[in-house]
Amino acid sequence: MKTIAKRIGIKVYNLKNGPFWKQGGAIVERLGHNIVLDCVKIRSHGKNNRVIIEDGVRLHHVKIQISGNDNTIIIGRNCSIQDTIFAMEEDHNSVTLGAGTTTTGGVVFSAIEGSKIIVGNDGMISRDVWFFTGDGHGM
């Protein structure tokens, strides 16, 4: 399986001719060819931040906001993620979605202060579910 990695930071748009990648502070690794990115926006401030997208993933209206260093988002094979926000603050956070996970909208994954959010394989997350690892008051 071929890995495609691009360094991005501000935004990723799905244009008629495919995604537009702008240089910045995160690396997006696409592990496969059956990946659909539709209205995906990524904003990253920091170093060594990674977004790993595995084969068969569909991202529709997804926002990723990362502030800090050494943060990782892994979206497993055949996930279908819709109208979802990923937010990370500070360093060494991770969000991992197992293979086949789906969201239906209004979902938020927020990891702060060096924490992890892990959703196992075939997770079905309904509308307006929020995952927070902190109370919004950083150290």
Side-chain angles (χ1 to χ4, degrees):
M1 185 176 299
K2 184 177 179 183
T3 299
I4 300 171
K6 297 191 181 233
R7 181 170 292 283
I8 59 90
I10 304 303
K11 294 181 181 177
V12 178
Y13 296 98
N14 190 2
L15 303 175
K16 288 182 180 179
N17 296 327
F20 170 77
W21 305 92
K22 190 168 183 181
Q23 297 296 316
I27 294 175
V28 174
E29 296 179 35
R30 296 178 2 163
L31 306 179
H33 297 288
N34 290 328
I35 296 171
V36 176
L37 304 176
D38 180 30
C39 296
V40 176
K41 296 180 182 179
I42 300 175
R43 183 172 295 152
S44 176
H45 302 283
K47 298 177 183 176
N48 301 319
N49 295 313
R50 297 172 53 205
V51 179
I52 300 168
I53 304 170
E54 295 184 1
D55 193 49
V57 168
R58 299 174 53 93
L59 301 181
H60 178 70
H61 287 267
V62 171
K63 293 181 183 176
I64 298 173
Q65 302 170 339
I66 303 173
S67 296
N69 303 314
D70 302 309
N71 296 292
T72 304
I73 296 171
I74 300 171
I75 302 173
R77 293 183 303 100
N78 301 318
C79 287
S80 180
I81 308 302
Q82 178 176 307
D83 299 316
T84 297
I85 297 172
F86 294 85
M88 294 183 164
E89 293 182 15
E90 302 174 8
D91 302 336
H92 306 289
N93 300 293
S94 70
V95 175
T96 302
L97 304 182
T101 295
T102 59
T103 66
T104 59
V107 176
V108 177
F109 295 98
S110 177
I112 65 171
E113 300 173 353
S115 61
K116 296 179 182 182
I117 297 173
I118 300 170
V119 176
N121 293 343
D122 296 318
M124 297 176 69
I125 302 167
S126 67
R127 179 166 283 290
D128 299 324
V129 175
W130 294 6
F131 297 85
F132 286 84
T133 62
D135 60 5
H137 302 284
M139 297 173 128

